[in-house]
Amino acid sequence: MSRGRLSAMAVAGSVVAGALVGAGTVAWQAELPPFADGPCWEAVTERDVDELLGGWDTEAEAVRPERTPEGQRSLDGRCRIQSHDGDRPGRQIDIRVHRLDGPRGDTVVWSDEFLSSRLTPLGDDLVGMASDTRAWVALPSDCVRPGRFDGPGIVDVSMGDDEIGNTEDPEKRARHHKALARTAVHAANAAMAELGCSGSLPSPGEPVEAPDFQEARGDLCGIEGVRLPKEHAGSGARMRTGAEGSVRTCDIVSGYTEHPQFRLQTVREADLTGPLIAATLYAGPGIRNGDGSKAVGAYSPTLAAVHAECDGETVVLLARQREGTHGYTFIRQVLPAYVAAEAERLGCEPGEITIPD
């Protein structure tokens, strides 16, 4: 691979990262060494950049990971690798170190982007997900402490809109999937060293292939007893159910768009449930358990969330509707059946809910 010049920002920042690697502080899980001149805090291998950017010349610029003046609650770190062939621009890789924030208004913005059904788990020992256009991994809680309603500190690597594949070539998409997963973990280990944290994350596992959309007929999202309301079922609806794991997301689209109009989601990962529980407090009027004795969530026509206790762990169940062409009826008609089905599958309480009028 031919590499172009690095920006002054990246060159100035490479000395510290080089010293860390030289001292053996960072443990890399990669077949090839990082770039000799160190873009992205010595995190990115030539192999992965070649696979993602096609061997073109590259330039990189970076801001080293650091805790902002707010301390543990805030993080900042950025890196961009851009490719070009002479004057012809190519693609780019963007790496960010940041925190998954709590709710904004009546939604949790990062949930849409980072918990899409198109993303698949990185592996049993990692909190994170990946596709052929994005990967992210959580930093350990002893490195960046989660807040009560904030998500974990994460490193994410992006090449564009995660709902649109890079290519129709399945082998190339699989290579991108693997390379992005590796890059996210490498960058996370570099960020941990920069932040003064000990240890390192393990290598990601073999990625599960991202699922495709299929016609939304019968049981919705493969969940017995859950059906798409009639007013939405006749609009060419398709569904995509993500791989089983600590996060399972089912997205439903209609028409020609790839962006989900509806979503059903079960989140079992403790590092992610905090900010989602915040959504259950602020989305709207309270959802109560079947006999009305306890508040278990909150409802609005566009977002509803229920928190349930399932064999000693807190699980968050969400339903989302983005647009109301046929009326905002999806959540009210679907969420009770969804909660009941998931409660039975996971051994949760409550199994029945009452949505406010």
Side-chain angles (χ1 to χ4, degrees), residues 36-49:
D37 41 9
C40 304
W41 331 301
E42 303 282 353
V44 185
T45 68
E46 292 188 28
R47 170 193 175 188
D48 290 338
V49 170

Side-chain angles (χ1 to χ4, degrees), residues 102-312:
R104 299 180 189 176
D106 65 349
T107 189
V108 180
V109 176
W110 58 262
S111 173
D112 291 343
E113 185 176 7
F114 293 97
L115 303 183
S116 164
S117 61
R118 195 165 182 273
L119 294 158
T120 63
L122 287 180
D124 292 340
D125 296 324
L126 294 165
V127 178
M129 305 180 81
S131 73
D132 61 313
T133 59
R134 173 181 293 282
W136 66 271
V137 64
L139 299 172
S141 59
D142 59 357
C143 177
V144 178
R145 187 177 68 250
R148 182 181 179 191
F149 293 128
D150 293 327
I154 72 163
V155 174
D156 79 80
V157 185
S158 174
M159 295 186 67
D161 191 330
D162 195 58
E163 294 298 333
I164 301 173
N166 278 337
T167 172
E168 294 301 318
D169 181 349
E171 292 186 1
K172 188 173 183 180
R173 290 176 67 167
R175 290 197 301 271
H176 285 178
H177 197 154
K178 293 178 182 179
L180 284 167
R182 290 192 301 262
T183 298
V185 172
H186 294 164
N189 284 331
M192 289 169 61
E194 291 286 328
L195 295 171
C197 304
S198 61
S200 61
L201 299 177
S203 299
E206 187 69 17
V208 178
E209 184 178 359
D212 293 324
F213 281 106
Q214 54 186 273
E215 191 173 359
R217 283 188 174 182
D219 292 328
L220 190 61
C221 307
I223 303 170
E224 186 175 356
V226 180
R227 297 298 181 99
L228 190 65
K230 292 181 179 179
E231 58 266 34
H232 303 294
S235 56
R238 295 169 293 140
M239 61 186 179
R240 179 178 62 201
T241 303
E244 184 64 43
S246 57
V247 177
R248 188 182 70 176
T249 298
C250 177
D251 289 323
I252 301 104
V253 304
S254 60
Y256 296 102
T257 180
E258 295 290 318
H259 294 276
Q261 285 84 52
F262 313 106
R263 168 172 285 183
L264 294 172
Q265 191 169 57
T266 299
V267 181
R268 303 168 61 185
E269 174 52 59
D271 286 345
L272 303 177
T273 53
L276 297 177
I277 288 175
T280 73
L281 300 176
Y282 302 119
I287 296 173
R288 305 192 75 82
N289 60 355
D291 63 12
S293 63
K294 182 180 180 182
V296 296
Y299 165 81
S300 79
T302 58
L303 172 71
V306 172
H307 55 90
E309 294 303 316
C310 309
D311 288 338

